[in-house]
Amino acid sequence: MGYVTLRVLHGADRGKIFDHLSTPVTIGREEGNSIQLNDERISRYHLKLQEDNEKIVLTDLESTNGTKVNGEDIQVRIVRDGDMIAVGRSLLLVGSRSDIDRRIAEIAAKLPPADEARAKQMGERLQHIAAQQSDVIEDLGDVRTPLLPGGPPPLPERLSPSQAAEMAELLDYVQAVLREATEGAVMRPGNERVEIDFPHWQAVLDLQARLAELLREIGEPK
């Protein structure tokens, strides 16, 4: 069983702390949710947090106004300490201060020595955001967490052989489309812009559309 702590930074319930809740956790404005928020822009049952493979997975329950994690619209997303969840007019910070400090230390340990100062600054900025309960953020969708280390996310863990093969096929397809587009790219002398021909550009756009469809399909509540 997983546990999650959520602190309300903005909204009608600003200042509330939901500490060490056992998953699954549902958030909405209706009674019966694990967390009931006083926000008319939140759906009756807005989102769910559940533990899977020792990770906390957030799923939007087909809410009317959607859910954003770190400023990005999502249907399903792994959330970590320090992430910010925007629902309606409310903004929630994942993790207690000690949880976030622990994640900052983990990130700093993976950074080159020259970037350790950056990790410290990320932590200071995040704690500053959490402390400014009186500030008003006009557009919660623009709020992004400072705890975003560079590089792609890790591959899913504990995949079955068939799931690993399916993941490899998907990544092979993405790589093939991008490889064909980049191999046909041209950089003109004296020009800092890279040009690709129209068919390759359309292939990249089609890939983006297909990935968007896959993300939505994965995120649809079962």
Side-chain angles (χ1 to χ4, degrees):
M1 179 183 296
Y3 297 90
V4 63
T5 294
L6 296 168
R7 290 184 278 167
V8 184
L9 301 186
H10 295 281
D13 297 285
R14 182 175 60 193
K16 285 188 177 181
I17 299 175
F18 303 93
D19 188 34
H20 205 61
L21 299 180
S22 59
T23 57
V25 171
T26 59
I27 299 176
R29 70 171 193 271
E30 190 85 353
E31 290 184 10
N33 284 286
S34 311
I35 297 176
Q36 184 182 9
L37 296 177
N38 297 311
D39 189 330
E40 72 277 7
R41 290 181 60 82
I42 292 178
S43 295
R44 295 169 59 246
Y45 293 92
H46 197 103
L47 65 86
K48 178 170 70 173
L49 295 160
Q50 59 190 339
E51 189 270 342
D52 185 60
N53 285 339
E54 301 179 356
K55 293 179 173 62
I56 301 298
V57 179
L58 183 155
T59 303
D60 181 271
L61 300 177
E62 297 186 322
S63 63
T64 301
N65 294 310
T67 301
K68 293 189 177 186
V69 174
N70 303 330
E72 182 179 353
D73 290 304
I74 62 96
Q75 275 84 45
V76 62
R77 176 65 56 86
I78 294 173
V79 294
R80 301 172 176 84
D81 296 321
D83 285 346
M84 294 185 184
I85 303 171
V87 288
R89 293 188 172 91
S90 303
L91 180 66
L92 294 81
L93 176 63
V94 180
S96 65
R97 287 184 174 87
S98 59
D99 292 334
I100 293 171
D101 286 342
R102 189 179 306 113
R103 186 180 173 206
I104 292 169
E106 292 173 354
I107 292 174
K110 297 176 182 178
L111 292 174
D115 289 339
E116 289 181 1
R118 175 172 168 265
K120 182 179 179 180
Q121 290 173 355
M122 290 193 301
E124 291 174 348
R125 181 186 169 202
L126 185 60
Q127 297 297 0
H128 177 69
I129 291 172
Q132 288 186 320
Q133 299 290 344
S134 60
D135 286 356
V136 176
I137 297 177
E138 296 297 334
D139 186 358
L140 297 182
D142 290 336
V143 175
R144 296 178 181 272
T145 175
L147 294 184
L148 291 174
L155 288 172
E157 299 175 356
R158 302 178 183 176
L159 292 177
S160 69
S162 63
Q163 289 173 327
E166 290 171 348
M167 176 67 72
E169 285 184 348
L170 175 60
L171 294 178
D172 280 342
Y173 171 75
V174 172
Q175 185 188 40
V177 173
L178 296 177
R179 182 178 65 245
E180 186 172 353
T182 55
E183 286 178 349
V186 175
M187 178 177 286
R188 306 292 182 188
N191 191 341
E192 296 179 354
R193 295 185 178 182
V194 176
E195 299 177 3
I196 62 174
D197 59 33
F198 188 74
H200 286 149
W201 171 242
Q202 288 299 309
V204 171
L205 293 180
D206 179 69
L207 172 62
Q208 184 178 0
R210 288 172 183 265
L211 291 176
E213 292 171 8
L214 286 173
L215 287 169
R216 185 166 188 82
E217 181 180 343
I218 292 170
E220 291 291 345
K222 304 299 183 184

